[in-house]
């Protein structure tokens, strides 16, 4: 079971004392013959990818991408945050903007709030882990900037607090969420929900949606960007 607010895969539930639990795959589905049910996992993954066309849908993804494009065209900053696998997604998507996605163009201003170990550990130690992203947002964000808040549960306290800080500062918020309603629905200008029965499957949807956003941003801005 995944604990509330977690963005990582859960641990298998225990059985009777002394009993050896049946093998589980990486997303908690019972495996066949004591091993990974690869075919079943791939089928579930494909179903999540297919569902993206309906939820969040292309129109919502394009609206979110437009938020990022408007900020970057104005010279503003796009910040990304998330925990665990979502931290990896934050870094991946920031890299797509700073580097390149498919076109040769100027770099865009993007930063993942998950990469500075000294800041994360200092703030976590001195103020608490729930403030590790909030304090960075308060230090760096301003009106017209964008925070991309990523959480599969929709309830990660440090991500929610970062979004609250961003809105208080006049920054815009885009949220990548799982299937359930979240406090971020009320904070985000665009909330992109991904269907998926486990965090790992939701994360697969998040990176697909995120890359679609980056591709749209790049195609839209490349004609304006120098170099």
């Amino acid at each position: 079971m995944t604990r509330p607010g977690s963005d990582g895969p859960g641990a298998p539930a225990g059985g009777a004392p002394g009993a050896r639990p049946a093998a589980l795959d990486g997303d908690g589905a019972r495996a066949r013959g004591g091993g990974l049910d690869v075919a079943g996992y791939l089928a579930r993954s494909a179903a999540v990818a297919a569902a993206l066309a309906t939820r969040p849908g292309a129109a919502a993804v394009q609206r979110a991408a437009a938020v990022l494009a408007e900020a970057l065209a104005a010279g503003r900053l796009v910040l990304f945050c998330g925990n665990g696998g979502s931290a990896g997604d934050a870094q991946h998507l920031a890299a797509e903007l700073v580097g390149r996605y498919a076109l040769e163009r100027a770099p865009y201003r993007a930063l993942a709030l998950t990469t500075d170990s000294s800041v994360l550990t200092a703030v976590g130690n001195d103020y608490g882990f729930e403030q590790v992203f909030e304090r960075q947002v308060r230090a760096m964000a301003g009106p017209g900037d964008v925070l991309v808040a990523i959480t599969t549960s929709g309830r990660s306290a440090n991500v929610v607090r970062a979004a609250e800080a961003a809105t208080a500062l006049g920054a815009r918020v885009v949220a990548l969420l799982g299937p359930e309603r979240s406090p971020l629905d009320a904070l985000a200008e665009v909330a992109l929900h991904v269907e998926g029965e486990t965090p790992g499957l939701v994360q697969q949807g998040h990176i697909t949606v995120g890359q679609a956003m980056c591709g749209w941003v790049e195609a839209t801005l490349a004609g304006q960007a120098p170099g």
Side-chain angles (χ1 to χ4, degrees):
M1 179 178 297
T2 305
R3 62 178 177 83
S6 170
D7 283 317
R20 182 177 181 180
L24 302 176
D25 74 12
D27 272 296
R30 195 162 300 282
R32 297 174 182 172
L36 175 66
D37 180 7
V38 174
Y41 178 82
L42 293 178
R44 292 191 301 280
S45 178
V48 167
L52 296 176
T54 302
R55 193 184 193 214
V61 174
Q62 185 169 322
R63 286 198 304 273
V67 171
L68 273 64
E70 289 168 14
L72 293 169
R76 304 307 304 177
L77 178 65
V78 177
L79 303 169
F80 294 83
C81 69
N83 297 294
S86 298
D89 288 343
Q91 294 159 211
H92 185 160
L93 296 174
E96 300 285 21
L97 295 178
V98 174
R100 65 180 179 191
Y101 182 73
L103 302 177
E104 195 62 48
R105 39 77 176 176
Y108 303 140
R109 297 186 68 213
L111 179 68
L113 303 180
T114 53
T115 58
D116 191 326
S117 59
S118 294
V119 169
L120 292 171
T121 54
V123 174
N125 183 66
D126 295 345
Y127 296 96
F129 192 68
E130 291 182 355
Q131 295 191 45
V132 293
F133 301 137
E134 174 193 358
R135 197 159 179 86
Q136 292 185 78
V137 167
R138 287 168 55 195
M140 300 179 197
D145 293 330
V146 179
L147 174 70
V148 180
I150 310 173
T151 165
T152 62
S153 69
R155 300 185 303 276
S156 295
N158 55 6
V159 177
V160 173
R161 288 183 63 148
E164 291 172 341
T167 57
L169 291 166
R172 306 166 80 178
V173 177
V174 170
L176 298 182
L177 306 168
E180 304 299 329
R181 281 199 60 81
S182 159
L184 290 164
D185 283 293
L187 294 167
E189 186 168 337
V190 186
L192 302 174
H193 287 270
V194 168
E195 298 291 343
E197 59 194 47
T198 64
L201 291 173
V202 172
Q203 285 167 353
Q204 290 180 45
H206 281 175
I207 197 59
T208 300
V209 167
Q211 288 187 308
M213 289 167 50
C214 291
W216 193 94
V217 167
E218 185 178 74
T220 300
L221 297 183
Q224 304 174 19

